[in-house]
Amino acid sequence: MTLDAADKMSHFVRFCDAFGIPCLWFADTPAFLPAVEEERRGLIRHGSGMILANTETTVPSITIFVRKAYGGGRLAMPGQFLMGDLQVAWPCYEPG
């Protein structure tokens, strides 16, 4: 997950929450991308903004873990760690 993806996800969550649209997530993320340029631009700050947006939402949040969910990427998706409403997994899911 990159810095721009984190910003896009947080804006999307806030948009859905503002209009009462439930969020359905298909999670397949190995983690945040620890590139030097991403770190300079503030990956931790933007990533934590995405986590904050997911915890503040009031609409139902359903996460389907498709394949991979490792490290910070797993923590950022609205699953068991962010009090999501429902989490399910495909048989090929690799928890990390």
Side-chain angles (χ1 to χ4, degrees), residues 17-35:
D17 193 43
F19 291 99
I21 303 169
C23 294
L24 176 64
W25 302 104
F26 289 93
D28 181 12
T29 179
F32 285 99
L33 180 66

Side-chain angles (χ1 to χ4, degrees), residues 9 12-26 53-64 77-79 82-87:
M9 184 174 174
F12 179 74
V13 168
R14 292 190 191 282
F15 175 83
C16 290
D17 193 43
F19 291 99
I21 303 169
C23 294
L24 176 64
W25 302 104
F26 289 93
N54 280 323
T55 56
E56 291 179 340
T57 187
T58 58
V59 295
S61 182
I62 300 168
T63 305
I64 301 169
M77 295 306 290
L82 292 183
M83 300 170 286
D85 296 309
L86 177 66
Q87 305 87 40

Side-chain angles (χ1 to χ4, degrees), residues 46-84:
H46 291 267
S48 63
M50 179 183 66
I51 294 170
L52 182 66
N54 280 323
T55 56
E56 291 179 340
T57 187
T58 58
V59 295
S61 182
I62 300 168
T63 305
I64 301 169
F65 292 100
V66 179
R67 196 175 54 139
K68 294 180 182 177
Y70 300 135
R74 181 177 182 210
L75 296 174
M77 295 306 290
Q80 67 188 28
F81 299 111
L82 292 183
M83 300 170 286

